[in-house]
Amino acid sequence: MNIESTSLWIGLALLCSCQSRQQVTAPVSTIDSTLQTNATAILESKLSEINAQSGQVIIMEVQTGQIKALVGLTKKDSTNYQSCENFSVWQSTGLMHPISLLVALETGKVKLSDKVDTGNGIYQIHGRELKDHNWHRGGYGELTVQEGLATSSNIAIYKTMEKAFANNPQSYFDLLANMSYGKPDSITGIANLKPAHFVTPKDNNWAKSDFAWSSIGYNQQISPIQILTFYNAIANNGKMIQPQLFKDSVVVINPQIASRASIDSLKKALVFNVTDGLGQPAKSDKVLVAGMQGTSSLSTNEDSTKDMYAVEFCGYFPTDNPKYSIIVSINKAGLPASGELMAGDVFKKIVGLLFPY
């Protein structure tokens, strides 16, 4: 065999080898089809019960970022729902309280045991009123920071921000960016996902009162899977992992979003929220879970009963060695709108699927 024919033979052998290797490594979905089916049924039942417009459930493995269920449903007609690819939806979030608290903890200026006075549930900020959900019942008065989180107190969270950041709200946004909040910008298999967007003091339309609303989840556009990515990092002791729909090696977005001490404090508060706070509807009798509920207005007229609301719950379990993180996000028109009672109940039932005994 001459040199030319030998080279040709080697080239063909390499080509065949590459082709066969490519065939072996075809993308493999991370989705668990049984879990997907059961999670869809649970979500559809809740959407129908509360007459919601749409909803999504995302279940992810904490260590790998592999998405085990990706459920999106939207109203088809007055009684039925249909699957939809609504995972790139861009809106404000009711799940910002723990994230803002983590940023404050990182400054070293606040701790969970600090006292904060929420007064009668109405707080004046540069001519605007920040209200707690129980303002019409006279508010919560004095709370610890941990109790403020567990009661979903907007005032407790914002007063904690005031203590941590005083007159420098930009440092809050700088720390958020350092923590990779809002990442990832894209996920293979999820169409039209956009980088999260935030109004900051660097923007021309920034008003002095905006910091209060930013710290509780407004003045931003973010997708639920980006929120889940952050909560998953909390569960993962600070390591932020890229979510994936096709099995691949683990990709680390940020090896440590915050100090281990701050992460541990927040994890303690998220457990307390479920055991003793408003997150109790998400409590499982099979496994200890941690998480946070949230309700946010998606319309400009925050007082309207015709308003569109996002009711959400995001958490992880088991708390001692987290295996799964889950976000439930439901959009519905009008009141009542309760993250803990609506989304938290879906979360609890999905935990039951994953820990049936």
Side-chain angles (χ1 to χ4, degrees):
M1 188 182 287
N2 60 32
I3 293 173
E4 284 186 7
S5 59
T6 302
S7 299
L8 179 62
W9 183 85
I10 292 171
L12 285 170
L14 284 170
L15 180 62
C16 292
S17 170
C18 287
Q19 285 175 337
S20 61
R21 192 176 297 126
Q22 284 170 351
Q23 288 165 359
V24 170
T25 57
V28 177
S29 173
T30 61
I31 297 293
D32 178 324
S33 58
T34 303
L35 184 59
Q36 176 84 10
T37 299
N38 292 334
T40 300
I42 289 170
L43 179 62
E44 185 168 10
S45 175
K46 180 58 68 175
L47 295 183
S48 180
E49 176 193 329
I50 64 175
N51 192 29
Q53 185 63 38
S54 62
Q56 55 180 278
V57 168
I58 307 170
I59 305 170
M60 190 158 74
E61 280 186 351
V62 169
Q63 300 289 330
T64 66
Q66 290 186 6
I67 296 169
K68 309 313 288 183
L70 185 70
V71 180
L73 294 171
T74 191
K75 186 174 277 192
K76 181 180 181 182
D77 51 44
S78 59
T79 55
N80 297 299
Y81 291 85
Q82 62 187 6
S83 294
C84 68
E85 299 286 323
N86 61 346
F87 308 109
S88 61
V89 63
W90 225 37
Q91 60 191 35
S92 59
T93 179
L95 297 170
M96 194 69 191
H97 285 191
I99 298 166
S100 288
L101 179 54
L102 182 64
V103 179
L105 289 168
E106 275 292 89
T107 67
K109 296 177 182 176
V110 299
K111 54 187 185 297
L112 294 183
S113 58
D114 288 351
K115 293 286 177 59
V116 56
D117 186 7
T118 67
N120 65 357
I122 304 174
Y123 188 44
Q124 297 289 336
I125 303 167
H126 300 289
R128 294 180 69 185
E129 287 185 343
L130 182 66
K131 293 180 177 179
D132 278 341
H133 61 89
N134 71 335
W135 66 270
H136 55 284
R137 295 194 298 273
Y140 284 115
E142 190 174 71
L143 299 167
T144 65
V145 170
Q146 176 168 279
E147 289 167 343
L149 187 74
T151 53
S152 290
S153 169
N154 291 329
I155 295 172
I157 293 300
Y158 177 58
K159 282 197 164 185
T160 302
M161 298 305 106
E162 284 186 312
K163 184 175 181 181
F165 299 101
N167 296 316
N168 186 15
Q170 184 58 48
S171 60
Y172 164 87
F173 290 98
D174 292 343
L175 273 171
L176 270 184
N178 290 342
M179 291 179 180
S180 305
Y181 174 65
K183 298 297 179 184
D185 292 345
S186 63
I187 298 170
T188 302
I190 295 182
N192 304 316
L193 188 67
K194 291 179 283 191
H197 174 73
F198 314 99
V199 178
T200 76
K202 293 179 179 178
D203 292 305
N204 292 331
N205 58 343
W206 176 265
K208 284 186 176 181
S209 61
D210 282 347
F211 185 33
W213 275 263
S214 296
S215 70
I216 61 170
Y218 294 102
N219 301 326
Q220 62 175 285
Q221 303 290 325
I222 193 165
S223 297
I225 195 159
Q226 292 164 327
I227 294 285
L228 177 62
T229 301
F230 197 93
Y231 274 71
N232 194 78
I234 295 165
N236 205 18
N237 294 322
K239 183 191 284 188
M240 183 179 284
I241 303 294
Q242 169 80 17
Q244 51 181 251
L245 276 166
F246 300 100
K247 291 182 180 178
D248 204 346
S249 54
V250 173
V251 176
V252 178
I253 295 173
N254 188 330
Q256 197 66 40
I257 64 168
S259 70
R260 188 61 189 267
S262 297
I263 294 282
D264 287 346
S265 288
L266 183 59
K267 289 175 86 169
K268 176 189 169 193
L270 291 173
V271 171
F272 180 80
N273 174 56
V274 175
T275 57
D276 293 79
L278 290 182
Q280 290 182 62
K283 188 191 297 184
S284 167
D285 54 6
K286 300 178 178 69
V287 61
L288 191 59
V289 307
M292 189 67 195
Q293 63 286 335
T295 304
S296 62
S297 168
L298 301 179
S299 305
T300 52
N301 184 2
E302 293 179 24
D303 296 326
S304 172
T305 55
K306 296 284 192 293
D307 205 351
M308 185 65 76
Y309 293 90
V311 293
E312 299 171 289
F313 193 94
C314 191
Y316 55 85
F317 56 94
T319 54
D320 56 346
N321 185 22
K323 186 174 183 185
Y324 297 105
S325 60
I326 301 172
I327 190 165
V328 180
S329 182
I330 297 170
N331 287 2
K332 74 177 295 287
L335 299 169
S338 169
E340 58 271 19
L341 295 174
M342 295 170 178
D345 184 53
V346 173
F347 179 93
K348 176 182 179 177
K349 286 172 176 158
I350 291 171
V351 171
L353 291 177
L354 293 160
F355 280 80
Y357 308 112

